Every structure is written in structure tokens, then in C-alpha cells.
């Protein structure tokens, strides 16, 4: 991997980490905790990664909180 490809890969991963953290903060602000929220390791494995944010699995209570939060934020 060239230095430029390495830089681009690092930037993509950093952007994905920031997006994941922003989502975690936004969810926490409305009472939702997704414990499995992370970057998908397989999407980071390519020579030029295309990071995916994995929302993961959640229990029924978390599903209900997330649904309620989305309904509250829905534009009229």
C-alpha cells in the first residue's frame, strides 16, 4: 500500500469512527444505548477500506426506545 493509499484509508476510518461516535452520542441523548455499535471489522480489511458502521443487535426494550425516539423526531 502506498503512502497516499494509507493516508486515504486512515482518513476513511477516522471519518467512520467520528460518525459512529456522533451516532452514539445522539442515541444516548434520547435514552437509547446500542451496546454493539461499532465499525464493521470486515469492511476495514480491504486495501482501501470502505468502513461500515454496524448497529448491532439490541434487546426488545432498546428497540422500543429507539422506535419511540424516531417517532418523536419525525417531521410533521
Amino acid at each position: 500500500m502506498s503512502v497516499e493509499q494509507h493516508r486515504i484509508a486512515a482518513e476513511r476510518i477516522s471519518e467512520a469512527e467520528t460518525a459512529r461516535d456522533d451516532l452514539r452520542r445522539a442515541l444516548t441523548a434520547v435514552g437509547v444505548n446500542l451496546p454493539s455499535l461499532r465499525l464493521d471489522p470486515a469492511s476495514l480489511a480491504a486495501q482501501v477500506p470502505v468502513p461500515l458502521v454496524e448497529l448491532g443487535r439490541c434487546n426488545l426494550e432498546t428497540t422500543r426506545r429507539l422506535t419511540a425516539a424516531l417517532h418523536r423526531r419525525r417531521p410533521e
Side-chain angles (χ1 to χ4, degrees):
M1 177 183 290
S2 73
V3 172
E4 180 64 12
Q5 288 173 319
H6 189 354
R7 183 189 63 75
I8 291 169
E11 284 178 5
R12 287 181 178 178
I13 293 169
S14 179
E15 287 178 33
E17 289 171 333
T18 298
R20 177 209 53 214
D21 295 344
D22 290 345
L23 178 58
R24 179 174 282 129
R25 280 190 293 277
L27 289 169
T28 298
V30 295
V32 176
N33 176 35
L34 294 179
S36 301
L37 184 64
R38 66 184 185 143
L39 296 185
D40 173 53
S43 69
L44 304 175
Q47 188 154 11
V48 179
V50 182
L52 298 174
V53 176
E54 185 174 301
L55 301 179
R57 298 167 25 178
C58 61
N59 62 29
L60 185 55
E61 178 62 25
T62 300
T63 301
R64 288 182 176 146
R65 286 180 186 211
L66 180 56
T67 301
L70 291 170
H71 283 297
R72 285 192 302 271
R73 304 288 184 183
R74 186 176 14 192
E76 300 291 322

